[in-house]
Structure formats: C-alpha cells, structure tokens
Coordinates of all heavy atoms in Angstrom, one line a residue:
M1 N -13.2 26.4 -52.2 CA -11.8 26.8 -52.2 C -10.8 25.6 -52.0 O -11.1 24.8 -51.2 CB -11.5 27.8 -51.1 CG -10.7 29.0 -51.6 SD -10.5 30.2 -50.2 CE -12.2 30.9 -50.1
A2 N -9.8 25.6 -52.8 CA -8.9 24.5 -52.7 C -7.5 25.0 -52.3 O -7.1 26.1 -52.6 CB -8.8 23.7 -54.1
F3 N -6.8 24.1 -51.7 CA -5.4 24.5 -51.2 C -4.4 23.5 -51.6 O -4.7 22.3 -51.7 CB -5.4 24.6 -49.6 CG -6.3 25.7 -49.2 CD1 -7.7 25.5 -48.9 CD2 -5.9 27.0 -49.1 CE1 -8.5 26.5 -48.5 CE2 -6.7 28.1 -48.7 CZ -8.0 27.8 -48.4
R4 N -3.2 24.0 -51.8 CA -2.1 23.1 -52.1 C -1.2 23.1 -50.8 O -0.8 24.1 -50.3 CB -1.3 23.7 -53.2 CG -0.1 22.9 -53.7 CD 0.6 23.6 -54.9 NE 1.9 23.0 -55.1 CZ 3.0 23.3 -54.5 NH1 3.0 24.4 -53.7 NH2 4.2 22.7 -54.8
V5 N -0.9 21.9 -50.4 CA -0.1 21.7 -49.1 C 1.2 21.1 -49.5 O 1.2 20.0 -50.2 CB -0.8 20.8 -48.1 CG1 0.0 20.7 -46.8 CG2 -2.2 21.3 -47.8
F6 N 2.3 21.8 -49.2 CA 3.6 21.3 -49.6 C 4.5 21.1 -48.3 O 4.6 21.9 -47.5 CB 4.3 22.3 -50.5 CG 5.7 21.9 -50.9 CD1 6.0 20.9 -51.8 CD2 6.8 22.6 -50.2 CE1 7.3 20.6 -52.1 CE2 8.1 22.3 -50.5 CZ 8.4 21.3 -51.4
V7 N 5.1 19.9 -48.3 CA 6.1 19.7 -47.2 C 7.5 19.4 -47.8 O 7.6 18.6 -48.7 CB 5.7 18.4 -46.3 CG1 6.7 18.2 -45.2 CG2 4.3 18.6 -45.7
D8 N 8.4 20.2 -47.3 CA 9.8 20.1 -47.8 C 10.4 18.9 -47.0 O 10.7 19.0 -45.8 CB 10.6 21.4 -47.5 CG 12.0 21.4 -48.2 OD1 12.5 20.3 -48.3 OD2 12.5 22.5 -48.4
N9 N 10.6 17.8 -47.7 CA 11.2 16.6 -47.1 C 12.6 16.8 -46.5 O 13.0 16.1 -45.5 CB 11.2 15.5 -48.1 CG 9.9 14.7 -48.1 OD1 9.0 15.0 -47.2 ND2 9.8 13.7 -49.0
E10 N 13.3 17.7 -47.1 CA 14.7 17.9 -46.6 C 14.6 18.6 -45.2 O 15.5 18.3 -44.4 CB 15.4 18.9 -47.6 CG 15.5 18.4 -49.0 CD 16.6 17.4 -49.1 OE1 17.7 17.6 -48.5 OE2 16.4 16.3 -49.8
K11 N 13.6 19.5 -45.0 CA 13.5 20.2 -43.8 C 12.8 19.4 -42.7 O 13.0 19.6 -41.5 CB 12.8 21.5 -44.0 CG 13.6 22.5 -44.8 CD 12.9 23.8 -44.9 CE 13.6 24.8 -45.8 NZ 12.7 26.0 -46.1
C12 N 11.8 18.6 -43.1 CA 11.0 17.8 -42.1 C 11.8 16.9 -41.2 O 12.6 16.1 -41.7 CB 9.9 17.0 -42.9 SG 8.9 16.0 -41.7
K13 N 11.6 17.1 -39.9 CA 12.4 16.3 -38.9 C 11.5 15.2 -38.3 O 11.9 14.5 -37.4 CB 12.9 17.2 -37.8 CG 13.9 18.2 -38.3 CD 15.3 17.6 -38.5 CE 16.3 18.7 -38.8 NZ 16.3 19.2 -40.2
G14 N 10.3 15.1 -38.8 CA 9.4 14.0 -38.4 C 8.8 14.1 -37.0 O 8.5 13.1 -36.3
C15 N 8.7 15.4 -36.5 CA 8.2 15.6 -35.1 C 6.7 15.3 -34.9 O 6.3 15.1 -33.8 CB 8.5 17.0 -34.7 SG 7.5 18.2 -35.5
E16 N 6.0 15.2 -36.0 CA 4.6 14.9 -36.0 C 3.7 16.0 -35.4 O 2.5 15.7 -35.2 CB 4.3 13.5 -35.3 CG 5.0 12.4 -36.0 CD 4.6 11.0 -35.5 OE1 3.5 10.9 -34.9 OE2 5.3 10.1 -35.8
E17 N 4.2 17.2 -35.2 CA 3.4 18.3 -34.7 C 2.3 18.7 -35.7 O 1.2 19.0 -35.3 CB 4.3 19.5 -34.4 CG 5.3 19.4 -33.3 CD 4.7 19.6 -32.0 OE1 3.6 20.2 -31.9 OE2 5.2 19.1 -31.0
C18 N 2.6 18.6 -37.0 CA 1.6 18.9 -38.0 C 0.4 17.9 -38.0 O -0.7 18.3 -38.2 CB 2.2 19.1 -39.3 SG 3.2 17.6 -39.9
L19 N 0.7 16.7 -37.7 CA -0.3 15.7 -37.6 C -1.2 16.0 -36.5 O -2.5 15.8 -36.5 CB 0.3 14.3 -37.5 CG 0.7 13.5 -38.8 CD1 2.0 14.0 -39.3 CD2 0.7 12.1 -38.6
E20 N -0.6 16.4 -35.3 CA -1.4 16.7 -34.1 C -2.3 17.9 -34.3 O -3.5 17.9 -33.9 CB -0.4 17.1 -33.0 CG 0.5 15.9 -32.5 CD -0.3 14.9 -31.8 OE1 -1.2 15.2 -31.0 OE2 0.0 13.7 -32.0
V21 N -1.8 18.9 -35.0 CA -2.6 20.2 -35.1 C -3.6 20.2 -36.2 O -4.6 20.9 -36.1 CB -1.6 21.4 -35.3 CG1 -1.1 21.6 -36.7 CG2 -2.2 22.6 -34.7
C22 N -3.5 19.4 -37.2 CA -4.4 19.4 -38.4 C -5.7 18.7 -38.0 O -5.7 17.5 -37.8 CB -3.8 18.8 -39.6 SG -4.9 18.8 -41.0
T23 N -6.8 19.5 -38.0 CA -8.1 18.9 -37.6 C -8.7 18.0 -38.6 O -9.7 17.3 -38.3 CB -9.0 20.1 -37.2 OG1 -9.1 21.0 -38.3 CG2 -8.6 20.8 -36.0
V24 N -8.3 18.1 -39.9 CA -8.9 17.3 -40.9 C -7.9 16.2 -41.4 O -8.2 15.6 -42.5 CB -9.4 18.2 -42.1 CG1 -10.6 19.1 -41.7 CG2 -8.3 19.1 -42.6
N25 N -6.9 16.0 -40.6 CA -6.0 14.8 -40.9 C -5.4 14.8 -42.3 O -5.5 13.7 -43.0 CB -6.7 13.5 -40.6 CG -7.2 13.5 -39.1 OD1 -6.5 13.9 -38.2 ND2 -8.4 13.0 -38.9
V26 N -4.8 15.9 -42.8 CA -4.2 15.9 -44.1 C -3.0 15.1 -44.2 O -2.7 14.5 -45.2 CB -4.0 17.4 -44.5 CG1 -3.0 17.5 -45.7 CG2 -5.3 18.1 -44.8
F27 N -2.2 15.0 -43.0 CA -0.9 14.4 -43.0 C -0.8 13.0 -42.6 O -1.6 12.6 -41.7 CB 0.1 15.3 -42.2 CG 0.2 16.7 -42.5 CD1 -0.6 17.7 -41.8 CD2 1.0 17.1 -43.6 CE1 -0.5 19.0 -42.2 CE2 1.0 18.5 -43.9 CZ 0.3 19.4 -43.2
E28 N 0.1 12.3 -43.1 CA 0.4 10.9 -42.6 C 2.0 10.8 -42.6 O 2.6 11.4 -43.4 CB -0.1 9.9 -43.6 CG -1.5 9.4 -43.2 CD -2.1 8.3 -44.0 OE1 -1.3 7.6 -44.7 OE2 -3.3 8.0 -43.9
M29 N 2.5 10.0 -41.7 CA 3.9 9.8 -41.6 C 4.3 8.7 -42.6 O 3.7 7.6 -42.5 CB 4.4 9.5 -40.2 CG 4.2 10.6 -39.2 SD 5.0 12.2 -39.7 CE 6.7 11.7 -39.5
R30 N 5.3 8.9 -43.4 CA 5.8 7.9 -44.3 C 7.3 7.9 -44.2 O 7.9 9.0 -44.5 CB 5.4 8.1 -45.7 CG 3.9 8.2 -46.0 CD 3.3 6.8 -46.4 NE 1.9 6.8 -46.4 CZ 1.1 7.1 -47.4 NH1 1.6 7.4 -48.6 NH2 -0.2 7.1 -47.3
K31 N 7.9 6.8 -43.7 CA 9.4 6.8 -43.6 C 10.0 8.0 -42.8 O 10.9 8.6 -43.2 CB 10.1 6.7 -44.9 CG 9.7 5.4 -45.7 CD 10.4 5.3 -47.0 CE 10.0 4.1 -47.8 NZ 10.2 4.1 -49.2
G32 N 9.3 8.3 -41.7 CA 9.7 9.4 -40.8 C 9.5 10.8 -41.3 O 10.0 11.8 -40.7
K33 N 8.8 11.0 -42.4 CA 8.5 12.3 -42.9 C 7.0 12.5 -43.0 O 6.3 11.5 -43.3 CB 9.1 12.5 -44.4 CG 10.6 12.2 -44.5 CD 11.4 13.3 -43.9 CE 12.9 13.0 -44.0 NZ 13.7 14.1 -43.5
S34 N 6.6 13.7 -42.9 CA 5.2 14.1 -43.0 C 4.8 14.3 -44.5 O 5.5 15.0 -45.2 CB 4.9 15.3 -42.2 OG 3.6 15.8 -42.5
I35 N 3.8 13.6 -44.9 CA 3.3 13.7 -46.3 C 1.9 14.2 -46.3 O 1.0 13.6 -45.6 CB 3.4 12.3 -47.0 CG1 4.8 11.7 -46.8 CG2 3.0 12.4 -48.5 CD1 5.9 12.3 -47.6
P36 N 1.6 15.2 -47.1 CA 0.2 15.7 -47.1 C -0.7 14.8 -48.0 O -1.2 15.2 -49.1 CB 0.3 17.1 -47.7 CG 1.6 17.1 -48.5 CD 2.5 16.0 -47.9
V37 N -1.0 13.6 -47.6 CA -1.7 12.6 -48.4 C -3.1 13.0 -48.7 O -3.6 12.8 -49.8 CB -1.8 11.2 -47.6 CG1 -2.5 10.2 -48.4 CG2 -0.4 10.8 -47.2
Y38 N -3.8 13.7 -47.8 CA -5.2 14.1 -48.0 C -5.3 15.6 -48.2 O -6.1 16.3 -47.5 CB -6.1 13.6 -46.9 CG -6.0 12.1 -46.7 CD1 -5.3 11.5 -45.6 CD2 -6.6 11.2 -47.7 CE1 -5.2 10.1 -45.5 CE2 -6.5 9.8 -47.6 CZ -5.8 9.3 -46.5 OH -5.7 7.9 -46.4
E39 N -4.4 16.1 -49.1 CA -4.4 17.5 -49.4 C -5.8 18.1 -49.7 O -6.1 19.2 -49.3 CB -3.4 17.7 -50.6 CG -3.1 19.1 -50.9 CD -2.3 19.2 -52.2 OE1 -2.5 18.4 -53.1 OE2 -1.3 19.9 -52.2
G40 N -6.6 17.3 -50.4 CA -7.9 17.8 -50.8 C -8.8 18.1 -49.6 O -9.8 18.9 -49.8
E41 N -8.5 17.7 -48.4 CA -9.3 17.9 -47.2 C -8.9 19.3 -46.5 O -9.6 19.8 -45.7 CB -9.1 16.8 -46.1 CG -9.5 15.4 -46.6 CD -10.9 15.3 -46.9 OE1 -11.7 15.9 -46.1 OE2 -11.3 14.8 -47.9
C42 N -7.8 19.9 -47.0 CA -7.3 21.1 -46.3 C -8.3 22.2 -46.4 O -8.9 22.5 -47.4 CB -6.0 21.5 -47.0 SG -5.3 23.0 -46.4
I43 N -8.4 22.9 -45.2 CA -9.3 24.0 -45.1 C -8.6 25.4 -45.0 O -9.1 26.4 -44.8 CB -10.3 23.9 -43.9 CG1 -9.5 23.6 -42.6 CG2 -11.3 22.8 -44.1 CD1 -10.3 23.7 -41.3
G44 N -7.2 25.3 -45.2 CA -6.4 26.5 -45.3 C -6.2 27.2 -44.0 O -5.9 28.4 -44.0
C45 N -6.3 26.6 -42.8 CA -6.2 27.3 -41.5 C -4.8 27.7 -41.2 O -4.5 28.6 -40.4 CB -6.7 26.4 -40.4 SG -5.7 24.9 -40.1
R46 N -3.8 27.0 -41.9 CA -2.4 27.3 -41.8 C -1.8 27.0 -40.4 O -0.7 27.5 -40.0 CB -2.0 28.7 -42.2 CG -2.2 28.9 -43.7 CD -1.7 30.2 -44.2 NE -1.7 30.2 -45.7 CZ -2.8 30.4 -46.4 NH1 -4.0 30.6 -45.9 NH2 -2.7 30.3 -47.7
S47 N -2.5 26.3 -39.5 CA -2.0 25.9 -38.2 C -0.7 25.1 -38.4 O 0.2 25.2 -37.5 CB -3.0 25.1 -37.5 OG -4.2 25.8 -37.3
C48 N -0.7 24.2 -39.4 CA 0.5 23.4 -39.6 C 1.7 24.2 -39.9 O 2.8 24.0 -39.5 CB 0.2 22.4 -40.7 SG -0.3 23.1 -42.3
V49 N 1.5 25.3 -40.7 CA 2.6 26.2 -41.1 C 3.2 26.8 -39.8 O 4.4 26.9 -39.6 CB 2.1 27.3 -42.1 CG1 3.2 28.3 -42.4 CG2 1.6 26.6 -43.3
E50 N 2.3 27.3 -38.9 CA 2.7 27.9 -37.7 C 3.4 27.0 -36.7 O 4.3 27.4 -36.1 CB 1.5 28.6 -37.0 CG 1.1 29.9 -37.6 CD -0.3 30.3 -37.2 OE1 -0.7 30.1 -36.1 OE2 -1.0 31.0 -38.1
V51 N 2.9 25.7 -36.6 CA 3.4 24.8 -35.6 C 4.8 24.2 -36.1 O 5.6 23.8 -35.2 CB 2.4 23.7 -35.3 CG1 2.5 22.6 -36.4 CG2 2.6 23.2 -33.9
C52 N 5.1 24.2 -37.3 CA 6.3 23.5 -37.8 C 7.5 24.4 -37.5 O 7.7 25.4 -38.2 CB 6.2 23.2 -39.3 SG 7.7 22.4 -39.9
K53 N 8.4 24.0 -36.6 CA 9.6 24.7 -36.2 C 10.6 24.7 -37.3 O 11.5 25.6 -37.4 CB 10.1 24.1 -34.9 CG 9.3 24.3 -33.7 CD 9.9 23.7 -32.5 CE 9.0 23.6 -31.3 NZ 8.0 22.5 -31.4
E54 N 10.5 23.7 -38.2 CA 11.5 23.6 -39.3 C 11.1 24.4 -40.5 O 11.9 24.5 -41.5 CB 11.7 22.1 -39.7 CG 11.9 21.2 -38.6 CD 13.2 21.5 -37.7 OE1 14.1 22.0 -38.3 OE2 13.1 21.3 -36.5
K55 N 10.0 25.1 -40.4 CA 9.5 25.9 -41.6 C 9.4 25.0 -42.9 O 9.8 25.5 -43.9 CB 10.3 27.1 -41.8 CG 10.2 28.1 -40.6 CD 10.7 29.5 -41.0 CE 10.8 30.5 -39.9 NZ 9.7 30.5 -38.9
A56 N 9.0 23.8 -42.7 CA 9.0 22.8 -43.8 C 7.7 22.9 -44.6 O 7.6 22.3 -45.7 CB 9.2 21.4 -43.3
I57 N 6.6 23.5 -44.0 CA 5.3 23.4 -44.7 C 4.9 24.8 -45.3 O 5.1 25.8 -44.8 CB 4.2 23.0 -43.7 CG1 4.6 21.8 -42.9 CG2 2.9 22.8 -44.3 CD1 3.7 21.3 -41.8
A58 N 4.3 24.6 -46.5 CA 3.7 25.8 -47.2 C 2.3 25.5 -47.6 O 2.1 24.3 -48.1 CB 4.6 26.2 -48.4
V59 N 1.4 26.4 -47.4 CA 0.0 26.2 -47.8 C -0.4 27.4 -48.7 O -0.3 28.5 -48.3 CB -0.9 26.1 -46.6 CG1 -2.4 26.0 -47.0 CG2 -0.6 24.9 -45.7
D60 N -0.8 27.0 -49.9 CA -1.2 28.1 -50.9 C -2.6 27.8 -51.4 O -3.0 26.7 -51.6 CB -0.3 28.1 -52.1 CG 1.1 28.4 -51.8 OD1 1.3 29.5 -51.1 OD2 2.0 27.7 -52.2
E61 N -3.4 28.9 -51.5 CA -4.7 28.8 -52.1 C -4.6 28.6 -53.6 O -3.8 29.3 -54.2 CB -5.5 30.1 -51.8 CG -6.9 30.0 -52.1 CD -7.6 31.3 -51.8 OE1 -7.2 32.1 -50.9 OE2 -8.6 31.6 -52.5
L62 N -5.3 27.7 -54.1 CA -5.3 27.4 -55.5 C -6.4 28.3 -56.2 O -7.6 28.2 -55.8 CB -5.6 26.0 -55.8 CG -4.5 25.0 -55.5 CD1 -4.9 23.6 -55.7 CD2 -3.2 25.2 -56.3
K63 N -6.1 29.1 -57.1 CA -7.0 29.9 -57.8 C -7.7 29.0 -58.9 O -7.0 28.3 -59.7 CB -6.3 31.1 -58.5 CG -5.7 32.0 -57.5 CD -6.6 33.1 -57.0 CE -5.9 34.0 -56.1 NZ -5.7 33.6 -54.7
P64 N -9.0 29.0 -59.0 CA -9.7 28.2 -60.0 C -9.3 28.7 -61.4 O -9.3 29.9 -61.6 CB -11.1 28.3 -59.7 CG -11.3 29.5 -58.8 CD -10.0 29.8 -58.2
E65 N -9.0 27.8 -62.3 CA -8.7 28.1 -63.7 C -10.0 28.4 -64.4 O -11.0 27.7 -64.2 CB -8.0 26.9 -64.4 CG -6.6 26.6 -63.8 CD -5.6 27.5 -64.4 OE1 -5.7 27.8 -65.6 OE2 -4.6 27.8 -63.7
M66 N -10.0 29.4 -65.2 CA -11.2 29.7 -66.0 C -11.3 28.8 -67.2 O -10.3 28.6 -67.9 CB -11.2 31.2 -66.5 CG -12.6 31.6 -66.9 SD -12.5 33.3 -67.6 CE -12.4 34.3 -66.2
S67 N -12.4 28.1 -67.4 CA -12.5 27.2 -68.5 C -12.5 28.0 -69.8 O -12.8 29.2 -69.9 CB -13.8 26.4 -68.4 OG -14.9 27.2 -68.7
E68 N -12.2 27.3 -70.9 CA -12.2 27.9 -72.2 C -13.6 28.5 -72.6 O -13.7 29.6 -73.1 CB -11.8 26.8 -73.3 CG -11.6 27.3 -74.7 CD -10.3 28.1 -74.9 OE1 -9.5 28.2 -74.0 OE2 -10.1 28.5 -76.0
T69 N -14.6 27.7 -72.3 CA -16.0 28.2 -72.6 C -16.3 29.5 -71.8 O -16.9 30.4 -72.4 CB -17.0 27.1 -72.2 OG1 -16.5 25.8 -72.5 CG2 -18.3 27.3 -72.8
A70 N -16.0 29.5 -70.5 CA -16.2 30.6 -69.7 C -15.5 31.9 -70.2 O -16.0 33.0 -70.3 CB -15.9 30.4 -68.2
Y71 N -14.3 31.6 -70.7 CA -13.4 32.7 -71.2 C -14.1 33.3 -72.4 O -14.2 34.5 -72.6 CB -12.0 32.2 -71.5 CG -11.1 33.2 -72.2 CD1 -10.6 34.3 -71.4 CD2 -10.9 33.1 -73.5 CE1 -9.8 35.2 -72.1 CE2 -10.1 34.1 -74.1 CZ -9.6 35.1 -73.4 OH -8.8 36.0 -74.0
L72 N -14.5 32.4 -73.4 CA -15.1 32.9 -74.6 C -16.4 33.6 -74.4 O -16.7 34.7 -75.0 CB -15.3 31.7 -75.6 CG -14.1 31.0 -76.1 CD1 -14.4 29.8 -76.9 CD2 -13.3 32.0 -77.0
L73 N -17.2 33.1 -73.4 CA -18.4 33.7 -73.1 C -18.2 35.1 -72.5 O -18.9 36.1 -72.9 CB -19.1 32.9 -72.0 CG -20.6 33.0 -71.9 CD1 -21.3 32.5 -73.2 CD2 -21.1 32.1 -70.8
L74 N -17.2 35.2 -71.6 CA -16.9 36.5 -71.0 C -16.4 37.5 -72.0 O -16.8 38.7 -72.0 CB -15.8 36.3 -69.9 CG -15.5 37.4 -69.0 CD1 -16.7 37.7 -68.1 CD2 -14.3 37.1 -68.1
R75 N -15.6 37.0 -73.0 CA -15.1 37.9 -74.1 C -16.2 38.4 -74.9 O -16.2 39.6 -75.3 CB -14.1 37.1 -74.9 CG -13.1 38.0 -75.6 CD -12.0 37.2 -76.2 NE -12.5 36.5 -77.3 CZ -11.7 35.8 -78.2 NH1 -10.4 35.8 -78.0 NH2 -12.2 35.1 -79.2
E76 N -17.2 37.5 -75.2 CA -18.4 37.9 -76.0 C -19.2 39.0 -75.3 O -19.6 40.0 -75.8 CB -19.2 36.7 -76.2 CG -19.9 36.7 -77.5 CD -20.6 35.3 -77.7 OE1 -19.9 34.4 -78.0 OE2 -21.9 35.3 -77.6
I77 N -19.4 38.8 -74.0 CA -20.2 39.7 -73.2 C -19.5 41.1 -73.1 O -20.1 42.1 -73.3 CB -20.4 39.2 -71.7 CG1 -21.3 38.0 -71.7 CG2 -21.0 40.3 -70.8 CD1 -21.3 37.2 -70.5
L78 N -18.2 41.1 -72.9 CA -17.4 42.3 -72.8 C -17.3 43.1 -74.1 O -17.1 44.3 -74.1 CB -16.1 42.0 -72.2 CG -16.1 41.6 -70.7 CD1 -14.7 41.2 -70.3 CD2 -16.6 42.6 -69.8
S79 N -17.4 42.4 -75.2 CA -17.2 43.0 -76.5 C -18.5 43.6 -77.0 O -18.6 44.3 -78.0 CB -16.7 42.1 -77.5 OG -17.6 41.0 -77.8
D80 N -19.6 43.4 -76.3 CA -20.9 43.9 -76.7 C -21.0 45.4 -76.5 O -20.5 46.0 -75.6 CB -22.1 43.2 -75.9 CG -22.5 41.9 -76.5 OD1 -22.0 41.7 -77.6 OD2 -23.2 41.2 -75.8
Ligands
LIG1 S1 5.7 19.8 -38.0 FE1 7.3 20.1 -39.6 S2 9.1 18.9 -39.0 FE2 7.3 18.2 -37.8 S3 6.6 16.4 -38.9 FE3 5.4 18.2 -39.6 S4 6.5 19.0 -41.4 FE4 7.9 17.6 -40.3
LIG2 S1 -3.6 24.4 -43.3 FE1 -4.9 23.6 -41.6 S2 -6.2 22.1 -42.7 FE2 -4.6 22.5 -44.1 S3 -3.1 20.9 -43.8 FE3 -2.5 22.7 -42.5 S4 -3.4 22.3 -40.5 FE4 -4.4 21.0 -42.0

C-alpha cells in the first residue's frame, strides 16, 4: 500500500511536531518548513495529521492503477 503525504507550506509553522511523531522519518525541515522527503516510507498511521495543530498535513492512500494488460485480460475473462 502506498500513501501520498502532503504538507501545505502556507499553513506549516515549522514546529517540528510531525518530525517527532513520524516513526519512519518521512519529514525533513527545509527553510523552516516540513517537507515529506521520504514519502515512500509512509505507513499511513496518520499520527502526523493528528499532531499538526495547523492542519497542514494530509495523508491519502494511493489506489494502484490497473495496467492496460490487466484491464484487457479482465475484460476478456468477463466477456466469456
Ligand atoms: S506539525 Fe504541522 S506545523 Fe508543525 S512542522 Fe509539521 S506540518 Fe509544520
Ligand atoms: S502518516 Fe504516519 S508514517 Fe506517514 S508521514 Fe504521517 S506519521 Fe509518518
């Protein structure tokens, strides 16, 4: 499962709470703002969303895209 981690730079006040709470170290501070540099490590616990008082963070589950081959195969199976 993959997750998209978004930080709204306008809202982020640089308190670093999200860095403290994230057990897989997704965030790094850059110029006083939290950046989800290692987004690929996210396990979707949403602790960062809860801890951020500025409501600057959003975490969404990425739905896997179906490949063209898988789609054609599925269509073939269903049309039988
Ligand atoms: S917890 Fe929110 S305000 Fe604090 S650094 Fe993280 S994103 Fe910015
Ligand atoms: S949802 Fe959890 S793992 Fe993902 S960035 Fe936030 S605290 Fe880290």
Side-chain angles (χ1 to χ4, degrees):
M1 224 179 286
F3 296 91
R4 182 178 167 273
V5 184
F6 174 77
V7 179
D8 187 335
N9 272 354
E10 300 286 316
K11 293 182 182 171
C12 176
K13 297 281 187 283
C15 69
E16 300 191 18
E17 292 281 337
C18 53
L19 275 80
E20 296 286 323
V21 84
C22 182
T23 53
V24 290
N25 303 319
V26 165
F27 305 98
E28 271 186 11
M29 293 306 288
R30 302 264 168 94
K31 295 178 182 165
K33 304 284 180 181
S34 171
I35 310 288
V37 181
Y38 302 106
E39 185 184 43
E41 301 296 317
C42 177
I43 53 170
C45 67
R46 292 188 169 78
S47 302
C48 54
V49 177
E50 280 164 33
V51 84
C52 181
K53 293 180 191 77
E54 310 302 325
K55 299 196 186 312
I57 308 176
V59 176
D60 295 311
E61 190 183 328
L62 290 173
K63 299 272 183 284
E65 293 277 327
M66 196 185 285
S67 74
E68 184 79 0
T69 319
Y71 174 75
L72 291 172
L73 204 65
L74 193 66
R75 207 171 64 173
E76 213 172 284
I77 294 165
L78 292 175
S79 66
D80 276 349

